[in-house]
Amino acid sequence: LPTGSPEIGGVDMDGNIVVWWEGTFDESTWEYSDQHIYSYEFPEGPRKEVAGGARSVIYPQTAGIWVTWVESSPWEHRPDEYWRTPIYGAFVSVGPDSENEPRPLASSAIAPIMGDAVWVYSLGETYLAWEQGLEQDGLPMGSHVLDLMSINARVLHLGHDAWRPSVSADKVVFWSQGLKLLN
């Protein structure tokens, strides 16, 4: 694949679409800069920049018509414990004269960062699921699901103790005092 950096990660694939992250590591600051999310459609491409530039973009995923990513930054209230991790999305394929502006899909997502904390989000063809580490903007702690095909969709809260969501088609599996599946 036509990559432009030796630092590559977050690779995901759905059908003939591959997405990945590229960035430049600065050993003096131990931080990444010049981060970008790219997509490529087999067999002939082209490589397209989905997001990047001045924004800190990470964790790309693709499913159906969507490419998603996270733009993370320290949470202003407790920056040593939590990061703001809003999830953005754009359409995979648009015509050459079309605008494909990124749109916020889960703008209030908060992730814990201390110790061995792990934060998860999952993109399916029609649904997006994510963990909410703390209550923010009216969304309680726990896992949430958003219907990406409904303009007026309400966010479904899976529970305060619901974690590690994964979506596929019209189903979500998550952990809440055992493994649960919701249709």
Side-chain angles (χ1 to χ4, degrees), residues 82-103:
Y82 295 93
W83 276 43
R84 182 176 296 279
T85 51
I87 304 165
Y88 290 85
F91 296 117
V92 171
S93 299
V94 294
D97 298 328
S98 301
E99 291 293 322
N100 192 14
E101 289 297 316
R103 57 193 76 207

Side-chain angles (χ1 to χ4, degrees), residues 1-10 20-25 32-38 47 51-52 57-58 60:
L1 294 174
T3 60
S5 170
E7 300 287 338
I8 296 170
W20 68 91
W21 167 93
E22 291 186 20
T24 303
F25 184 70
Y32 285 95
S33 63
D34 195 28
Q35 299 179 71
H36 302 270
I37 304 294
Y38 293 102
R47 177 177 101 153
V57 295
I58 53 176

